[in-house]
Amino acid sequence: MALSYIPPIRDMQFVLHEMYGAVDALAQLPPYAELDRDTFNAVLEEAGKFAAEVVAPTNAVGDLQGCTLDVASHSVKTPDGFKEAYRQYIEAGWPALAADPAYGGQGLPFVLNQSCYEMLNSANQAWTMYPGLSHGAYEALHAHGSDALKQRYLPKLTSGEWTGTMCLTEPHCGTDLGLLRTKAEPQADGSYRITGNKIFISAGEHDLAENIVHLVLARLPDAPAGSKGISLFVVSKFRLNDDGSLGERNPVFCTGLEHKMGIHGNATAQLAFDGAIGHLVGEPHRGLAAMFVMMNGARLGVGNQSLGLTEIAFQNALAYAKERLQMRSLSGPKAPEQPADPIIVHPDVRHQLLAAKAWAEGGRMLGSYCGLLLDQARSHPDEAARVAAAAQLALLTPVVKAFLTDNGLAATIGCQQVFGGHGYIHETGMEQLVRDARINLIYEGTNAVQALDLLGRKVMGDQGKALTQFGKTIAGWAADYAREPKMAEFLLPLQDLGERLTELTQAIAAKAQRNPEEIGVAAVDYLRVVGHLSFGWLWARAAQVAQAAIAAGSTDPFYSAKLETARFYFARLLPEVETAFRRLQANSASLMKTSHALA
Amino acid sequence: MALSYIPPIRDMQFVLHEMYGAVDALAQLPPYAELDRDTFNAVLEEAGKFAAEVVAPTNAVGDLQGCTLDVASHSVKTPDGFKEAYRQYIEAGWPALAADPAYGGQGLPFVLNQSCYEMLNSANQAWTMYPGLSHGAYEALHAHGSDALKQRYLPKLTSGEWTGTMCLTEPHCGTDLGLLRTKAEPQADGSYRITGNKIFISAGEHDLAENIVHLVLARLPDAPAGSKGISLFVVSKFRLNDDGSLGERNPVFCTGLEHKMGIHGNATAQLAFDGAIGHLVGEPHRGLAAMFVMMNGARLGVGNQSLGLTEIAFQNALAYAKERLQMRSLSGPKAPEQPADPIIVHPDVRHQLLAAKAWAEGGRMLGSYCGLLLDQARSHPDEAARVAAAAQLALLTPVVKAFLTDNGLAATIGCQQVFGGHGYIHETGMEQLVRDARINLIYEGTNAVQALDLLGRKVMGDQGKALTQFGKTIAGWAADYAREPKMAEFLLPLQDLGERLTELTQAIAAKAQRNPEEIGVAAVDYLRVVGHLSFGWLWARAAQVAQAAIAAGSTDPFYSAKLETARFYFARLLPEVETAFRRLQANSASLMKTSHALA
């Protein structure tokens, strides 16, 4: 019994076209001036079809089989079907979708690529990480590589013939990359020999592609200690001949695969670099900055992974709740002709379903909003507009990563609960979603690291400018609808939340001046509040669009559903901020002055 | 790298002796008049040793191997080490601990047995379910079986030579047992032939014991439809000869084992009853009532499972947080001699650790409080006292089941998060704790079912009498300390919560008169509030005992730790009620009038 999946094309179109007018907005960016809505929709349809028909069938088997390492040959076999699905993926040209036409890309916008990825993530997160990581490597090389490196690597990454990785973590350092020890020794020919051990390298070794392009953080001999002495290198599994063809095997070997809670289909590799030949990407000692090009995209991507899992969890739990008969409604039988009512009549089942739906659709709204910001930050003809978009995106990136993944874990757990005991059994597929979703709160910077990034760097670090600007954007939108009585149920709580957040931010800033630790004490709750401000705004926007459509005479039940979900969000999910605010008022000593309790 | 575990004997003694004066309280019950503190403590020490030394080493291997079914012989092999640990368990006489001396039991109190089980659950929940289920079968037979049945089955269940099960669920019915179809046909000799298929039978087949005693719900031929036509039968794997020795194999066969998210070491069996011979337990058609004897004990037991997992998750996360070096404290280096600070300096790590500690110790306080109530309900010489204890226990049983298991899932996830990427890897053992903890929110009645039981049956069903009595108990205790300035920080929020809960209960009652569905809409949040009232009270009591010890001159850091944890609980966990109250004020239409959203 595999999970069923219907690509949420209608909702994507609602968000992109009806809420954001994405095609018109993108048309202001020179690369997308010619983009039309039909092309946009056709890509979504085709990607959805590919995800549902080609990728989804590999999900359960991938979880059961996992990847296997042949220690003697250092080769990794992916689960049955992965290779064939990947072959079809590159044959159809999907890796090139949002890549630079200069290297064979199709030059479509990031936000469209992201929507396609959402569907791939729903279908199989572990499989999708192989092309996903490639995209990260592509981005880093594209932004920081020399022309020579770009010419050598980008076309093959764009075609998908080669895949990529990000090699950051070592056994003793994850978050704290300043501690890393992998060495890079300059060679006479301008290359470097890389030596060291990396762990947790997603897609680090596999049989999907003929070559793997590792982006590796390492230290040059003259590197200063800490995070300012880290450089970025490209090291490919097979060295390249002068004509770009594959040469001899580079000594970067998979020495082990991790046994993980989930994403079994992705090879999480231990990689030993034994003097592998690599090339410097960007400036010496500036590797962390270069890597952050990948990391920021990757963080949006992790939020998108949980969005995909939330959507498919919702779809399957909804279907089950309509079929499974158990007990009667407290207000009397709803299906008297049956031996019991479908469990969808029960309030807690409805709560779990609506929560998953509201988290998924809200995540889609915020993710796509950020996707559009990224396209604007990259391609807007006006520099001020690019800078403004980049600032908003920087503010919201940790929110997308942490808020969507927190929500995704809660939603997959809630949807699993709808299945009762059957949700605990592998065959229904729900427990895999929980196990897969779990990693998203951890990798690419734990959610607590995201919270510190948001409050410490993105808010306090620029004296609240980006946050204030975000608030102005929300207030500006709200002002347009302030006189619509039907919008009051959404605008009043939104305004209230905005005011409380402003006060809160000032209060934390004042406390942090006395004790910088207050930032850390507040950060996680603070991120949840900012997440709700973002969702509250976007759910209000969605409700406005739905109301307008209904007022214009539409009888499409999609709009009624959207309004109901918006109301559910405001009534039953947004209240989470009450706990956060209460906790944020608490004395930090209750957390930090606890040396006996944590002795 | 296995999980480490130190039995929390000191904290158990604090709760049982210092908070509850358990030995004195038990001495008022005739069966325990002679019980002394040394015996009590010696049992705890020995049980802890057994759990840590014999059972804990089987945990990781049990998860990896799981159970295997030989289809041809219908036999199930448990993981390596399970059988030997069980042999030692019965050799040491542990199954007899709280059993009736009339059948070979040691006659010790339930609350002591429960503390021993907490440690076994920490060591290996899946293993502990084998003896745990036996205890449930023992209880049902002891309460409802005829003398003849008791003589035949109880001595062997008491010795542990045989184990037991509860056979309720069928493929189409879990919560809704009224739908069950398994048939019982009366035979001329007074026995019954049982025919039907049961699923999700924990410990349903295995190689630990020579016989398995199934307590089975089935329908007699003349049974009325629904839940009032269900009878309880005892069906043993091997039929018994007249002398009580094992006779021929009864046709109850394991036809499959479930592939589960966790508790892999426990055999979750599909059982086919093919005309197996059984005997009626209790009255015809009164099987559900008889089974509820098992269910209520089992629900306390499930809370206790999550308590055990929370404790071991906390211990291991604390140890890791003190060792793992990563980043610096925001207020400056705390371990300047090291390349980075131990991660325990970081606020979110502290939050996860303190939350787990507060949930574990709070769960121990509430679980033991209920354990003492059970002993009083069974053995108090005064009938009114028995009735009063039973009423309090009935109120709190769903709270123990749901609140402790919700908390346990949150805590194991939080402690896993402390490990970063390493927590996602099987070898650290943390991800297994999450997978094992997950079932506890589902089985023995999902947590939503517990919430309905609490609000619908235990509160509204008796016009709030039991809740009012519980409130009086709390208020009576609080009155004794109302003039102690040091207690104000605990008593004021507790009083406030009590008053808000009273108002809330009245408001729900008023709404429910108009629409019974309001009970279901409110139930889950309501249970969380009652859980916090219980924990708030018990943490206040713990703080009072700790303050008194400190005032009396104790310098034992245990008391300082207890106070710090109490303050953490009030400042940072109790605020969860703010979200619950806010949601409880919301219109139920936001949940129930959502037919388009859930179409």
Side-chain angles (χ1 to χ4, degrees), chain A residues 174 176 259 261 326-327 329 416-417 424 426 435 438 441 564 572 575 578-579 582-583 590 597, chain B residues 174 176 259 261 326-327 329 416-417 424 426 435 438 441 517 564 572 575 578-579 582-583 590 597:
Chain A
D176 198 350
H259 304 104
M261 186 182 192
Q326 209 80 173
M327 308 301 282
S329 163
Q416 180 190 23
Q417 190 76 10
Y424 198 67
H426 184 82
R435 288 184 290 104
R438 183 66 187 89
L441 288 74
E564 288 171 359
R572 295 179 183 276
E578 301 305 327
T579 293
R582 179 78 172 259
R583 201 144 57 192
S590 60
Chain B
D176 197 350
H259 305 102
M261 184 181 194
Q326 209 80 175
M327 309 300 283
S329 164
Q416 180 190 24
Q417 190 76 12
Y424 199 65
H426 184 81
R435 288 185 290 103
R438 182 66 187 90
L441 288 75
E517 223 146 39
E564 288 172 358
R572 295 181 182 274
E578 300 306 327
T579 292
R582 178 79 170 259
R583 202 143 57 191
S590 61

Side-chain angles (χ1 to χ4, degrees), chain A residues 119-377:
Chain A
M119 297 185 280
L120 295 173
N121 286 324
S122 287
N124 186 341
Q125 173 171 327
W127 181 90
T128 302
M129 289 168 69
Y130 293 102
L133 269 293
S134 297
H135 212 76
Y138 166 95
E139 296 286 355
L141 280 167
H142 192 269
H144 296 281
S146 66
D147 279 345
L149 288 180
K150 290 198 225 185
Q151 293 296 345
R152 287 166 78 83
Y153 291 103
L154 294 186
K156 295 288 193 180
L157 286 170
T158 298
S159 70
E161 289 164 271
W162 301 349
T163 67
T165 76
M166 298 165 62
C167 298
L168 290 74
T169 304
E170 300 179 8
H172 61 288
C173 72
T175 300
D176 198 350
L177 292 167
L179 302 176
L180 75 79
R181 296 177 190 153
T182 295
K183 282 184 285 190
E185 292 162 297
Q187 305 298 302
D189 64 356
S191 69
Y192 297 81
R193 282 202 180 271
I194 313 292
T195 305
N197 292 302
K198 296 286 181 179
I199 63 167
F200 297 167
I201 309 307
S202 297
E205 181 57 75
H206 57 79
D207 55 4
L208 303 186
E210 61 186 14
N211 198 14
I212 301 174
V213 182
H214 303 288
L215 275 286
V216 187
L217 292 182
R219 287 188 185 284
L220 290 166
D222 61 343
S227 60
K228 289 179 178 148
I230 298 174
S231 305
L232 181 64
F233 300 86
V234 57
V235 179
S236 61
K237 178 176 169 182
F238 288 95
R239 295 179 58 186
L240 304 186
N241 298 321
D242 288 346
D243 65 356
S245 63
L246 296 184
E248 64 185 31
R249 184 73 159 84
N250 216 349
V252 44
F253 295 119
C254 176
T255 52
L257 294 179
E258 303 294 351
H259 304 104
K260 307 184 300 291
M261 186 182 192
I263 53 166
H264 293 164
N266 200 275
T268 305
Q270 299 159 14
L271 291 183
F273 292 80
D274 294 336
I277 294 290
H279 296 88
L280 184 68
V281 178
E283 302 293 311
H285 315 318
R286 302 289 301 274
L288 268 194
M291 192 58 107
F292 263 93
V293 172
M294 293 172 74
M295 290 290 283
N296 279 324
R299 287 173 177 183
L300 293 178
V302 175
N304 204 26
Q305 290 176 327
S306 283
L307 166 55
L309 297 179
T310 305
E311 173 66 33
I312 193 170
F314 166 68
Q315 290 189 16
N316 284 271
L318 177 62
Y320 187 80
K322 290 193 281 190
E323 276 173 21
R324 172 79 171 174
L325 307 176
Q326 209 80 173
M327 308 301 282
R328 292 293 184 188
S329 163
L330 288 176
S331 56
K334 296 291 176 282
E337 74 289 2
Q338 302 268 24
D341 286 338
I343 60 172
I344 199 168
V345 306
H346 303 309
D348 185 62
V349 170
R350 297 183 84 82
H351 179 89
Q352 304 298 349
L353 294 171
L354 288 161
K357 184 178 172 73
W359 290 136
E361 295 179 5
R364 190 170 293 126
M365 292 190 264
L366 183 60
S368 297
Y369 183 78
C370 288
L372 280 168
L373 285 177
L374 183 56
D375 283 318
Q376 286 160 353

Side-chain angles (χ1 to χ4, degrees), chain B residues 452-504:
Chain B
L452 281 173
D453 179 48
L454 173 68
L455 181 55
R457 195 181 314 212
K458 306 294 174 57
V459 174
M460 297 298 162
D462 82 340
Q463 285 79 45
K465 279 186 221 139
L467 182 68
T468 302
Q469 189 55 47
F470 186 52
K472 281 185 186 165
T473 303
I474 296 175
W477 172 85
D480 289 346
Y481 303 101
R483 294 190 187 168
E484 292 190 17
K486 279 185 187 165
M487 284 300 290
E489 63 175 309
F490 306 114
L491 295 186
L492 296 179
L494 183 63
Q495 185 180 353
D496 176 62
L497 181 57
E499 286 165 7
R500 290 166 79 189
L501 178 62
T502 302
E503 282 170 31
L504 171 67

Side-chain angles (χ1 to χ4, degrees), chain A residues 438-482:
Chain A
R438 183 66 187 89
I439 190 59
N440 298 341
L441 288 74
I442 299 173
Y443 64 11
E444 303 303 344
T446 66
N447 285 5
V449 168
Q450 305 300 322
L452 281 173
D453 180 49
L454 173 69
L455 180 55
R457 194 180 317 210
K458 306 295 173 56
V459 174
M460 297 298 163
D462 82 339
Q463 286 78 45
K465 279 185 221 138
L467 182 68
T468 302
Q469 189 55 46
F470 185 53
K472 281 185 186 164
T473 303
I474 295 175
W477 173 85
D480 289 347
Y481 303 101

